[in-house]
Amino acid sequence: MAHSQQSEESLIALAGILVAEQSLEKTLGQVLDLACAALSCGDAGGVTLLDREGPRSAAATSDAARRVDAFQYEADSGGPCLDAYRRQQVLRIDSTSEDPRWPEFAAAAAEAGIMSTLSLPLVVAGDGLGALNIYCHEESGFSAADEVLAMTFASYASVALANARMYWRTQRLADQLEEALSTRGMIEQAKGIIIAEQGCSGDEAFQLLVTASQRSHMKLHDLARELVERARDRATAGGQDQDGGSR
């Protein structure tokens, strides 16, 4: 009864995670901790994400759990988390000392004291995002009821992960847009300085900037920033000279 209450509290806490207030890694770590707390034998765990470089542990309850995750990334026979991700189904090992499906991972996990595992795909709208791995120090640590609870929990975790990834992707796009606008503004300022000094058109000023950028092997926005800063320094120095002369 007590653990049933703990499971319910974990699910409620998971629904309240605010991804905008923390990094993706912290969000995943919080999801993982709640998942382990929700299961009676959730002794340790990790979250596997797959990107262009391959699988990686984006979060883990400990360095030991992270090493257990890594065993299946490196093994020729793979591991349950990778197959859970690819097949989009829950995979359970009742005994790592006897299960024949992933012999290399099972042997390494057993040596690390992990005797049973539960791997859950993180999927939203058919899009596989990764896998949630829960580890137990006992054999047959996860019951059928645990598996049902874990599947429900994984659906919450998947939404949390999808929201976190969407938020940080949107944030990166906003940062890139802000940088682009800043760069454009700097180039426009530099063009204005050249127009004032050379008495040329805007197009001619831009072409002079491009030519100077090519000759100096500097990026266009770096050259523009340097030109604007020099103009500001000259203006500041001129103002100081006038103040000194008036006195």
Side-chain angles (χ1 to χ4, degrees), residues 161-199:
L161 175 58
N163 287 343
R165 294 181 73 178
M166 178 61 70
Y167 172 81
W168 290 109
R169 284 174 178 171
T170 302
Q171 187 63 47
R172 282 197 297 271
L173 287 175
D175 291 342
Q176 290 169 359
L177 177 59
E178 183 178 352
E179 182 180 357
L181 291 174
S182 175
T183 297
R184 180 177 178 179
M186 190 65 67
I187 291 174
E188 290 300 317
Q189 289 184 59
K191 283 172 56 180
I193 293 169
I194 295 174
I195 291 171
E197 292 179 348
Q198 304 289 334

Side-chain angles (χ1 to χ4, degrees), residues 123-171:
V123 183
V124 173
D127 181 23
L129 303 176
L132 178 67
N133 309 303
I134 311 297
Y135 300 133
C136 179
H137 296 314
E138 302 174 8
E139 290 192 348
S140 301
F142 304 106
S143 65
D146 286 329
E147 189 169 331
V148 171
L149 173 61
M151 286 190 290
T152 301
F153 193 92
S155 68
Y156 277 83
S158 297
V159 172
L161 175 58
N163 287 343
R165 294 181 73 178
M166 178 61 70
Y167 172 81
W168 290 109
R169 284 174 178 171
T170 302
Q171 187 63 47

Side-chain angles (χ1 to χ4, degrees), residues 24-184:
L24 176 58
E25 286 71 20
K26 287 184 177 179
T27 298
L28 293 177
Q30 191 173 356
V31 169
L32 178 61
D33 289 340
L34 291 171
C36 290
L39 301 177
S40 58
C41 199
D43 296 324
V47 176
T48 295
L49 297 182
L50 279 85
D51 50 32
R52 294 178 180 177
E53 287 72 35
R56 64 182 179 89
S57 294
T61 55
S62 65
D63 289 339
R66 193 179 297 275
R67 286 194 295 271
V68 172
D69 277 352
F71 289 147
Q72 51 198 318
Y73 308 157
E74 301 166 359
D76 292 337
S77 56
C81 88
L82 298 181
D83 281 356
Y85 163 79
R86 291 170 184 145
R87 301 176 191 173
Q88 296 191 3
Q89 67 183 70
V90 177
L91 294 175
R92 189 173 77 194
I93 297 178
D94 291 324
S95 174
T96 54
S97 62
E98 297 179 1
D99 195 292
R101 291 174 291 178
W102 305 281
E104 295 165 283
F105 165 74
E111 185 176 350
I114 301 300
M115 303 311 297
S116 55
T117 73
L118 194 60
S119 295
L120 312 150
L122 303 179
V123 183
V124 173
D127 181 23
L129 303 176
L132 178 67
N133 309 303
I134 311 297
Y135 300 133
C136 179
H137 296 314
E138 302 174 8
E139 290 192 348
S140 301
F142 304 106
S143 65
D146 286 329
E147 189 169 331
V148 171
L149 173 61
M151 286 190 290
T152 301
F153 193 92
S155 68
Y156 277 83
S158 297
V159 172
L161 175 58
N163 287 343
R165 294 181 73 178
M166 178 61 70
Y167 172 81
W168 290 109
R169 284 174 178 171
T170 302
Q171 187 63 47
R172 282 197 297 271
L173 287 175
D175 291 342
Q176 290 169 359
L177 177 59
E178 183 178 352
E179 182 180 357
L181 291 174
S182 175
T183 297
R184 180 177 178 179

